[in-house]
Amino acid sequence: MTLQRAYRLLALFYTALLLIGAIALLAGGGTLLSLAQLGLGALAVIGLWGYILQRGMMSPRLWQPLAGALAGAAVVQLWAVLSLSLSGEALTWMLASAIFSALLVVILYRYGDRDQALWATPEELEAAHRLEALLEEGAGTLTAEARDGERESRVTVTRSGDEYRASVTRRRAAEREAFEERFRHPATLVFFLEKFAGVSVGDFKRPDAA
């Protein structure tokens, strides 16, 4: 069995658990807490399918906080199971929820990493290909400058192995700001350059045109 098929079977399993939980609630089983757990589980399953299919669903800013919430909820549920006197129904819900949340926490945390191609737009992917070509021609280093009113930006992009680094210097009047970020995927670098550095791939010139 391939890893991809194993992941798909896992997603089907979690989806089936979700449906069973929904049927149990409709049949009158469970509490308001169970309803909240089911809603959280539905969101987690969406993220699980997104991770397996390598498609960006909703926002990358959602999934790592959700993974943290699931981890916190699992800890609280295990504490309740071990420390409180619960009914059989509540015990079953909490124990099952805590156990099946563990793997989802890891997967959703990885899924929420913005530095992946799956979160890039088609335009960012296309710009990433152009940037990689320029880096090849520029021996792994490129520099761009941009001006927006009184603010000037100078950006140096370098590639070392599989890592990309952007060093940004911004000036406005007497103020100067400098920062640096590292990325694994060039499309994420393109997103950063456009949103936070104020430059686009078109601002980088080919070495023979510099």
Side-chain angles (χ1 to χ4, degrees):
M1 179 183 293
T2 65
L3 182 60
Q4 185 67 14
R5 185 175 181 183
Y7 272 132
R8 287 177 180 269
L9 290 175
L10 179 68
L12 288 172
F13 174 70
Y14 276 103
T15 303
L17 284 180
L18 195 65
L19 293 174
I20 291 171
I23 292 171
L25 283 177
L26 291 174
T31 62
L32 288 176
L33 178 59
S34 302
L35 181 60
Q37 290 172 328
L38 192 65
L40 196 63
L43 195 58
V45 168
I46 292 173
L48 175 60
W49 277 110
Y51 176 82
I52 293 170
L53 299 175
Q54 286 296 286
R55 295 179 181 175
M57 295 186 178
M58 306 176 86
S59 168
R61 293 189 295 270
L62 167 67
W63 303 111
Q64 288 187 346
L66 178 60
L70 286 174
V75 170
V76 171
Q77 287 166 346
L78 286 175
W79 172 84
V81 168
L82 296 173
S83 304
L84 302 179
S85 178
L86 301 172
S87 66
E89 182 181 311
L91 183 66
T92 301
W93 272 101
M94 287 194 175
L95 192 57
S97 178
I99 292 173
F100 291 114
S101 292
L103 185 57
L104 283 176
V105 168
V106 177
I107 291 176
L108 292 179
Y109 188 84
R110 293 174 61 183
Y111 183 53
D113 183 0
R114 179 64 175 81
D115 197 3
Q116 301 179 80
L118 63 90
W119 295 113
T121 64
E123 293 77 17
E124 288 169 350
L125 291 172
E126 182 182 350
H129 288 308
R130 296 201 309 271
L131 182 62
E132 286 186 297
L134 288 171
L135 282 167
E136 288 287 344
E137 296 178 18
T141 301
L142 294 171
T143 300
E145 296 183 357
R147 180 188 294 271
D148 182 12
E150 297 181 353
R151 186 172 66 184
E152 297 179 3
S153 298
R154 180 180 176 85
V155 182
T156 299
V157 171
T158 58
R159 182 179 61 193
S160 178
D162 295 330
E163 183 179 73
Y164 299 83
R165 182 176 66 194
S167 301
V168 182
T169 302
R170 292 195 294 210
R171 293 184 177 87
R172 183 174 183 177
E175 299 178 357
R176 182 180 181 276
E177 177 187 15
F179 53 95
E180 182 178 286
E181 294 289 343
R182 298 172 185 267
F183 306 93
R184 295 188 307 274
H185 198 280
T188 318
L189 171 60
V190 169
F191 171 81
F192 167 81
L193 291 173
E194 295 177 348
K195 189 170 183 66
F196 298 104
V199 300
S200 65
V201 174
D203 293 318
F204 293 95
K205 304 301 181 184
R206 295 183 181 276
D208 57 6

